[in-house]
Amino acid sequence: MSTITPPPVAVAKDAHWAAKMARLRARTLPERTLSICDDMGVKREVTDAALALAKARTKATAEAIEQGVPEAQREEWATSQPDVLAADGALDAAQRAQDDATITLTFRALPRPVWEQLLRDHPPTESQAEQGMEYNVETFPAALISACHIERDADGTVVEGMTEADAQELLDTWPDAEAKALFTAALLVNQTLRSDLGKG
């Protein structure tokens, strides 16, 4: 029994598509973060430190001009000055303090079938549907937040995130603007086209 050998061009085309499909399958779902820092003191310290660094750089640049430092070397010269180095270190320290005081929530987009099932599970009421709403505005936000929220352990492994009850508690107890920001973070990660997906 003889076998038919496909043309080399077809074999190469199949291999090319297989490689491309493997890359498409390996794409990760988009993620979006919401950062919350209630410590106004550390926020102010970051702002003050950033202003101090800008002033130190401006002063050092002016000194470089006065001392005749060539234009191509001014940036390097200015950043090496003691006042600039000290201000840069102060900003780094302030930013680290702010990072320590900040809570970050991460949301990962849902695969399309999961998203669609969530919508089916939380249909709009008759009144909401008449207003053009796609989902039940009372129940869907907490469900979406819970479904999208992820936490990572020290190794970076994704572990279980917040429950629907946790999400509802935050939505009910946070101020309106912050509750909307929480829901929006979970909503946008599912509805925003990534910048790497161009129009063609």
Side-chain angles (χ1 to χ4, degrees), residues 3 7 12 16 20 33 35 49 60 68 70 87 101 126 132 142 148 172 178 194:
T3 59
H16 174 75
K20 185 177 284 189
T33 59
S35 297
E126 187 175 335
C148 295
D172 290 342
E178 294 179 1
R194 283 194 286 202

Side-chain angles (χ1 to χ4, degrees), residues 11-196:
V11 172
K13 185 177 179 183
D14 284 347
H16 174 75
W17 174 248
K20 185 177 284 189
M21 192 63 193
R23 289 180 61 195
L24 289 170
R25 288 190 183 107
R27 293 180 74 237
T28 58
L29 293 166
E31 294 182 4
R32 187 180 190 92
T33 59
L34 174 66
S35 297
I36 304 157
C37 181
D38 293 330
D39 191 329
M40 297 307 294
V42 298
K43 287 182 177 180
R44 193 164 40 251
E45 286 174 9
V46 169
T47 300
D48 292 346
L51 287 172
L53 176 58
K55 288 179 182 178
R57 282 179 179 272
T58 300
K59 182 180 178 184
T61 300
E63 289 176 359
I65 293 171
E66 288 178 9
Q67 295 188 26
V69 176
E71 186 174 352
Q73 300 171 14
R74 283 178 196 161
E75 177 67 19
E76 182 180 353
W77 188 90
T79 56
S80 69
Q81 298 310 296
D83 287 350
V84 175
L85 291 171
D88 193 35
L91 178 58
D92 284 344
Q95 288 173 330
R96 284 194 301 273
Q98 179 171 295
D99 290 344
D100 291 341
T102 298
I103 300 169
T104 301
L105 299 175
T106 302
F107 300 93
R108 177 183 288 171
L110 302 172
R112 184 183 56 80
V114 178
W115 166 264
E116 291 179 349
Q117 183 61 53
L118 198 63
L119 288 173
R120 285 192 295 272
D121 291 343
H122 299 273
T125 64
E126 187 175 335
S127 172
Q128 291 168 352
E130 287 174 358
Q131 297 174 49
M133 295 177 183
E134 188 180 7
Y135 47 77
N136 186 314
V137 296
E138 300 299 327
T139 63
F140 181 74
L144 178 65
I145 291 165
S146 174
C148 295
H149 177 248
I150 61 169
E151 285 289 325
R152 289 187 170 88
D153 62 17
D155 298 328
T157 304
V158 174
V159 294
E160 192 172 342
M162 76 172 78
T163 65
E164 196 168 326
D166 291 335
Q168 190 63 58
E169 179 184 348
L170 298 180
L171 290 170
D172 290 342
T173 58
W174 282 7
D176 184 62
E178 294 179 1
K180 284 178 179 171
L182 176 63
F183 174 51
T184 299
L187 188 63
L188 286 180
V189 77
N190 287 285
Q191 296 189 329
T192 302
L193 188 66
R194 283 194 286 202
S195 59
D196 59 339

